[in-house]
Amino acid sequence: MTTPQADAEERAMRRALELAASVGPQVLPNPRVGCVLLAPDGSGVAEAAHRGAGTPHAEAAALALAGTAARDATAIVTLEPCNHTGRTGPCAQALLDAGVRRVVFAQDDPNPQAAGGGETLRAGGVEVASGLLADEARALNPAWSRAMELGRPFVTWKLATTLDGRSAAADGTSRWVSSLAARRDTHRLRALSDTMLVGTGTVIEDDPRLTVRAADEAPLERQPLRVVMGERDLDPGRRIFDEAVVGGSLHLRTRDPRAALAALWERERRHVFLEGGPTLAAAFLRAGLVDEVVAYVAPMLLGDGRAAVGELGIESIAAALHLDVTDVRVLEPAAPGEDTNLRITMRGTA
């Protein structure tokens, strides 16, 4: 049987999760976090969410709103209060300084540089409980959480393919293997990342802009970093290098996926959306550096043409790379006459 205190804390945690979810993905490289402060009688004192790098963390923002009313309060937080000084000070110390009596957090902080807030609070005499709605909290920041555990950016590989595994026809034409609905869905997924990555071959052949656009084709205000990797020189006039597009661009002169991810990690990139051609995709797959696969499958057959992925060094069915399907969606036509597409999401190789 639950107690009134436990019920109030669970309600507050669900509210904190709502606050965090309302912010959207623009907080990367930081996680989405919500905080609710409860008075000793269980009533609400203040609430806040983290709004992005350089802005106050959720706990600090809620404490600022509460003022002296934070003393003896219970702080309900979706992520373990941070224990380090980055762009802002440590939230664990801020909670101690404010006189908070109890802290309940959902998810342990997987970032080794920031973890330990719970122990700091306990050492300071604060009651601490963890694990309340932990799965829901982790689901708020799945790519960020996994990136922190891996020590490198989380990699989502997106591909568009025919039923027989072709990304382009024999004459090289590929517009449009995927439907309008699938392309719009791709832009939605792009917006969840902080980095778009392609190879030099894609830039030379397709000259992509790699922007994130709304259904009306208007670019979104927030754009990921546009990155091309490879050793070949590129024409600076290619659209990926357009300085008028927000978000910036970068040419990583390496063919090594690990080196590319390490360089992006140093730039605080946490979620890479891989949209390169079959050669780049194969390089990441061979290296075991694909965490998620999103495949848009069109109900068409080409029989010949460019494969969706390049050579993987697999010579027998026993050595096949198996993926775990986590979601399958039917994308209904968004325009007259177009095909229905499937979106299949899978856990990758890492």
Side-chain angles (χ1 to χ4, degrees), residues 140-320:
L140 274 173
N141 304 290
W144 177 85
S145 295
R146 187 60 179 143
M148 289 298 115
E149 294 164 353
L150 293 169
R152 63 159 175 81
F154 183 90
V155 177
T156 296
W157 171 41
K158 169 261 174 181
L159 69 152
T161 178
T162 62
L163 203 56
D164 52 350
R166 303 298 176 180
S167 63
D171 64 359
T173 54
S174 60
R175 294 192 178 189
W176 296 100
V177 167
S178 58
S179 66
L180 175 61
R183 297 194 297 277
R184 287 177 174 173
D185 194 64
T186 295
H187 281 279
R188 181 186 63 82
L189 294 181
R190 282 182 176 184
L192 301 178
S193 71
D194 57 16
T195 307
M196 298 288 303
L197 179 61
V198 296
T200 52
T202 294
V203 173
I204 292 169
E205 295 172 18
D206 299 338
D207 192 21
R209 190 177 295 274
L210 291 186
T211 53
V212 179
R213 299 185 295 278
D216 62 0
E217 293 298 309
L220 300 187
E221 181 178 351
R222 174 191 175 272
Q223 294 290 330
L225 176 67
R226 304 179 309 283
V227 180
V228 55
M229 63 175 284
E231 297 175 347
R232 285 183 286 184
D233 291 332
L234 295 170
D235 179 356
R238 290 285 166 167
R239 297 195 300 170
I240 194 173
F241 301 124
D242 185 353
E243 295 182 356
V245 178
V246 297
S249 61
L250 177 67
H251 184 180
L252 295 175
R253 291 182 176 271
T254 179
R255 294 178 180 174
D256 181 356
R258 293 189 185 279
L261 292 183
L264 293 171
W265 184 256
E266 287 297 314
R267 289 171 171 81
E268 295 191 313
R269 300 288 124 176
R270 301 299 182 244
H271 187 183
V272 170
F273 201 74
L274 182 65
E275 281 208 47
T279 300
L280 186 63
F284 272 79
L285 287 164
R286 288 196 305 270
L289 293 173
V290 174
D291 304 293
E292 180 182 57
V293 179
V294 178
Y296 294 96
V297 182
M300 65 174 72
L301 299 169
L302 287 173
D304 196 5
R306 185 171 67 178
V309 65
E311 175 58 48
L312 294 177
I314 296 173
E315 297 182 354
S316 69
I317 197 69

Side-chain angles (χ1 to χ4, degrees), residues 95-133:
L95 291 164
L96 284 173
D97 293 342
V100 167
R101 177 184 61 83
R102 175 174 166 83
V103 174
V104 180
F105 63 86
Q107 180 187 3
D108 292 338
D109 196 328
N111 182 357
Q113 292 183 328
E119 289 305 312
T120 294
L121 289 163
R122 289 188 183 95
V126 175
E127 295 178 25
V128 178
S130 63
L132 178 62
L133 303 183

Side-chain angles (χ1 to χ4, degrees), residues 44 84 90 181:
H84 82 307

